[in-house]
Amino acid sequence: MTDATDRMAKGLIWATTEDLMRNKGRVLSLYRQILRSLNSPDLPLPFAARMAKKAEVRAIFMLGSEERSLHNVADLIDAAEYSLSLLNKGEIPKHIQ
């Protein structure tokens, strides 16, 4: 059971500053990896589409940075990891197509 899951089980659903700082490195890493993956020649995207996708990723992460629910933060991290796995396979995730 993760720390976030432990806290949710105890009824604590809002992220504390400590919770947010614990995820900061992981989130920044995912953000950078996704942006780098969008540069992959395996993706069938022209230059303008790549720039548009990067702008979408920035907007998603910016909005996600305001999230304070532990459950939603965990879901956003899971979605980012899944999207990164698709990008690494040369596929474009549907939510950023």
Side-chain angles (χ1 to χ4, degrees):
M1 216 176 208
T2 66
D3 188 45
T5 308
D6 289 340
R7 287 176 172 269
M8 285 187 286
K10 294 176 184 173
L12 300 173
I13 59 169
W14 299 112
T16 64
T17 303
E18 182 182 312
D19 295 325
L20 297 174
M21 289 306 296
R22 189 177 306 114
N23 289 319
K24 184 178 180 181
R26 186 174 178 194
V27 170
L28 285 174
S29 176
L30 284 167
Y31 173 71
R32 290 179 186 131
Q33 288 178 58
I34 289 172
L35 289 179
R36 271 189 244 120
S37 295
L38 286 170
N39 285 332
S40 172
D42 295 339
L43 293 178
L45 293 173
F47 180 74
R50 288 177 197 277
M51 295 298 106
K53 298 301 176 203
K54 286 182 178 185
E56 287 178 44
V57 168
R58 287 184 189 101
I60 290 168
F61 273 82
M62 201 159 88
L63 289 172
S65 71
E66 297 174 4
E67 185 58 56
R68 295 296 177 248
S69 163
L70 289 173
H71 180 72
N72 291 347
V73 169
D75 285 347
L76 290 169
I77 290 172
D78 289 343
E81 289 173 343
Y82 176 72
S83 296
L84 182 60
S85 72
L86 290 178
L87 287 168
N88 288 337
K89 293 178 191 174
E91 300 174 27
I92 302 171
K94 290 188 182 197
H95 69 280
I96 63 167
Q97 275 186 352

